[in-house]
Amino acid sequence: MKKLYRLAVLAGLAGMLSMPAAAADVSYITVLSGSVVSVAPVGAAVKEGDVLLTVNSLAGPMPAARSDKDGVVKSVLVQPGSQVQQGAVVVVVETK
């Protein structure tokens, strides 16, 4: 009986490990305020460290949001030329 129980537990764990990971949406905020210069387009594949948003600051164009995960841009909440305030959600990325 004990062997059967162990086998059932191992089979359950193996099944859980073989399940694909669910995609998750990650919202990115801007760390700077300013005028939007560029933003990653919807559908763009991004990798960890890629610039998602660039804003014009007193020092010139600066990265204001970077991806911290690999994924695909699901939605963009700002447009080039618009003003953003620090802390605003600007891009949503669907991660794998």
Side-chain angles (χ1 to χ4, degrees):
M1 187 70 165
K2 225 175 191 181
K3 274 187 171 182
L4 184 59
Y5 177 74
R6 284 185 185 163
L7 184 59
V9 169
L10 289 175
L13 290 173
M16 286 175 39
L17 293 175
S18 66
M19 293 173 65
D25 291 347
V26 179
S27 297
Y28 289 94
I29 61 170
T30 177
V31 296
L32 300 171
S33 298
S35 175
V36 175
V37 175
S38 65
V39 62
V42 172
V46 295
K47 298 211 178 281
E48 182 178 350
D50 285 355
V51 175
L52 301 172
L53 176 77
T54 304
V55 299
N56 233 350
S57 69
L58 294 175
M62 300 288 289
R66 288 184 185 269
S67 180
D68 62 3
K69 302 199 180 302
D70 296 351
V72 176
V73 176
K74 184 175 181 179
S75 63
V76 176
L77 306 171
V78 296
Q79 300 298 322
S82 65
Q83 293 292 317
V84 292
Q85 296 298 316
Q86 181 180 10
V89 175
V90 291
V91 176
V92 176
V93 173
E94 182 177 33
T95 62
K96 299 175 182 173

